[in-house]
Amino acid sequence: MSSSNRAISFQVVGPDRISQRVGTLYNSPGDQALHWIIDTRYLGYHWNLNFSHKNNTNIPFPHDVEEVVGLTIRHEHESTQRWNVEAAFRGISFGFENTNRVLTSVETSRQTTRRTRIEIPPNTWYFLYQRVFYFQTELWFVVDAWGKNWTVGLDGTDQHGRNRRLVRTSRVKVVTEERRSESLPLQGLRTGPTRSNVQFRWPSFPPVRQWGNLPRRAQDQLRRCGISPHEAGGGPRARLMSSSDDHEITEDHEINEITEDHEITEDQDITEDDEISGGDEGHEGAPFWEEFEVAEKTGYETKETEQQAEQEAIREQEHQAHELEVQKIKVQGKSLTNTASNKSTVHQVN
């Protein structure tokens, strides 16, 4: 696959929210209710270089490439694990660069490794890339009390005296099945908007109410869910985990975990043809893929080094086998030439 777009990365600018899941922790009509919301924000993509090689011979060079496909989640707070964040990505649809993308079931499942045979053309460089999408999810809460909706806040205010929203974030990386091969390396960054294909039940945040001013029932319910009024929530935990990690719980277990006597109901996204925007702000700072990759490598350096050494050894073996094949062809060619020459000499003598 080759494209006129030779940028290696794309970063979203402007509103970046693309989906929203909503559920209810409890609901007492005429009294109060407590809702949970998980917003998904699309940060952009990066073409990850899986393999590169220069074939200096006159024949194609076959090679087996190892690639990973699937989803990983890094929770900033341990309490977020029980909320089944990966469910927000099943069948998610979003738009960018005149393209509408729907993540496949393979891409939103536990990461798997597979090997693919490629063939590098003669006398050329070969660069093989794989597209990786990056997202951020935000878990937040709304309490319906005193005849009004309130966003659950933290204790205290910020430096400007404003109430702070209680939010638990997770970073999500989706290594896709999309590949592209190039004879020159990709480079550069493109920026642009993203498009949401759903209508949000909560397109904007209700006024923020500090934790200490929430109904006691709401405070108790959130604590039972592992949510604290402190900004750190017990300390950030940059934990990389697969979508099917043993410590994750399913949707059914999630309901049992975070409710007492009241049934959780989930409001499904409503499909719309028109773009939905407003109430969202983009993310600035260091490139999203660099932040995620640095965190992902923590604790995995030794494993990655061993894998790289193993792949390099396999590549060297394949290259040597390829060179032997080339030499064999050359020897056979010389042998045929000598045989033909000898036959010609014998014919002349006769």
Side-chain angles (χ1 to χ4, degrees), residues 273-341:
D273 294 329
D274 297 328
E275 177 180 344
I276 304 298
S277 61
D280 299 309
E281 58 282 333
H283 295 268
E284 298 181 356
F288 52 88
W289 64 90
E290 291 184 3
E291 294 177 0
F292 199 107
E293 297 302 332
V294 168
E296 184 179 25
K297 289 178 181 177
T298 303
Y300 292 84
E301 290 86 350
T302 301
K303 181 178 178 181
E304 288 183 352
T305 301
E306 292 173 353
Q307 291 176 341
Q308 291 173 357
E310 181 181 354
Q311 293 174 2
E312 190 64 32
I314 293 174
R315 187 184 307 180
E316 181 62 26
Q317 290 174 1
E318 291 179 341
H319 184 71
Q320 291 176 358
H322 182 65
E323 291 293 331
L324 288 175
E325 186 68 24
V326 172
Q327 292 298 325
K328 186 185 297 183
I329 293 174
K330 289 181 178 179
V331 170
Q332 290 176 348
K334 289 181 179 179
S335 177
L336 291 173
T337 301
N338 292 336
T339 301
S341 177

Side-chain angles (χ1 to χ4, degrees), residues 97-341:
E97 294 183 317
N98 299 317
T99 300
N100 193 68
R101 185 65 158 81
V102 179
L103 297 183
T104 68
S105 59
V106 174
E107 293 169 340
T108 56
S109 299
R110 174 189 288 271
Q111 280 198 347
T112 57
T113 302
R114 59 192 185 189
R115 298 182 71 86
T116 305
R117 172 59 62 98
I118 61 173
E119 193 171 83
I120 304 174
N123 299 305
T124 186
W125 268 103
Y126 185 92
F127 298 89
L128 182 64
Y129 294 89
Q130 189 173 6
R131 176 134 57 185
V132 181
F133 287 122
Y134 294 87
F135 304 88
Q136 177 172 296
T137 64
E138 297 178 353
L139 169 66
W140 54 289
F141 304 89
V142 171
V143 61
D144 179 356
W146 304 292
K148 188 175 181 179
N149 289 321
W150 305 90
T151 298
V152 172
L154 299 166
D155 278 332
T157 60
D158 63 15
Q159 59 182 348
H160 303 292
R162 296 174 298 196
N163 291 337
R164 299 171 298 163
R165 183 169 62 109
L166 188 155
V167 60
R168 296 291 180 256
T169 62
S170 300
R171 288 294 183 97
V172 179
K173 171 183 174 180
V174 178
V175 184
T176 74
E177 298 180 277
E178 294 182 70
R179 295 187 301 164
R180 65 184 292 181
S181 59
E182 300 287 344
S183 58
L184 293 173
L186 300 177
Q187 57 184 349
L189 169 69
R190 287 167 60 93
T191 60
T194 186
R195 300 182 305 279
S196 169
N197 297 323
V198 299
Q199 176 85 43
F200 301 127
R201 177 178 174 181
W202 299 97
S204 59
F205 308 120
V208 178
R209 192 174 185 88
Q210 289 187 28
W211 180 279
N213 296 325
L214 297 175
R216 177 56 61 87
R217 183 181 179 185
Q219 295 180 28
D220 292 343
Q221 181 68 64
L222 289 170
R223 283 196 177 97
R224 281 192 290 270
C225 297
I227 304 298
S228 80
H230 306 294
E231 184 172 13
R237 179 174 176 174
R239 179 183 179 205
L240 182 71
M241 58 194 306
S242 76
S243 64
S244 301
D245 190 282
D246 292 337
H247 295 281
E248 287 286 315
I249 56 178
T250 63
E251 191 81 14
D252 292 336
H253 290 159
E254 174 188 321
I255 291 176
N256 294 332
E257 179 75 15
I258 61 179
T259 61
E260 286 186 289
D261 303 323
H262 302 280
E263 177 184 1
I264 284 187
T265 57
E266 178 155 343
D267 301 291
Q268 302 297 324
D269 289 331
I270 304 172
T271 303
E272 290 279 324
D273 294 329
D274 297 328
E275 177 180 344
I276 304 298
S277 61
D280 299 309
E281 58 282 333
H283 295 268
E284 298 181 356
F288 52 88
W289 64 90
E290 291 184 3
E291 294 177 0
F292 199 107
E293 297 302 332
V294 168
E296 184 179 25
K297 289 178 181 177
T298 303
Y300 292 84
E301 290 86 350
T302 301
K303 181 178 178 181
E304 288 183 352
T305 301
E306 292 173 353
Q307 291 176 341
Q308 291 173 357
E310 181 181 354
Q311 293 174 2
E312 190 64 32
I314 293 174
R315 187 184 307 180
E316 181 62 26
Q317 290 174 1
E318 291 179 341
H319 184 71
Q320 291 176 358
H322 182 65
E323 291 293 331
L324 288 175
E325 186 68 24
V326 172
Q327 292 298 325
K328 186 185 297 183
I329 293 174
K330 289 181 178 179
V331 170
Q332 290 176 348
K334 289 181 179 179
S335 177
L336 291 173
T337 301
N338 292 336
T339 301
S341 177

Side-chain angles (χ1 to χ4, degrees), residues 17 19-20 37-41 136-140 205:
R17 185 164 49 167
S19 76
Q20 185 176 85
I37 301 97
I38 297 180
D39 286 332
T40 300
R41 299 180 181 276
Q136 177 172 296
T137 64
E138 297 178 353
L139 169 66
W140 54 289
F205 308 120

Side-chain angles (χ1 to χ4, degrees), residues 24-55:
T24 301
L25 289 171
Y26 66 77
N27 185 12
S28 298
D31 182 13
Q32 60 179 267
L34 180 61
H35 308 285
W36 57 266
I37 301 97
I38 297 180
D39 286 332
T40 300
R41 299 180 181 276
Y42 172 46
L43 305 180
Y45 68 75
H46 183 69
W47 285 105
N48 185 60
L49 180 62
N50 271 5
F51 173 77
S52 64
H53 181 75
K54 186 176 183 180
N55 183 3

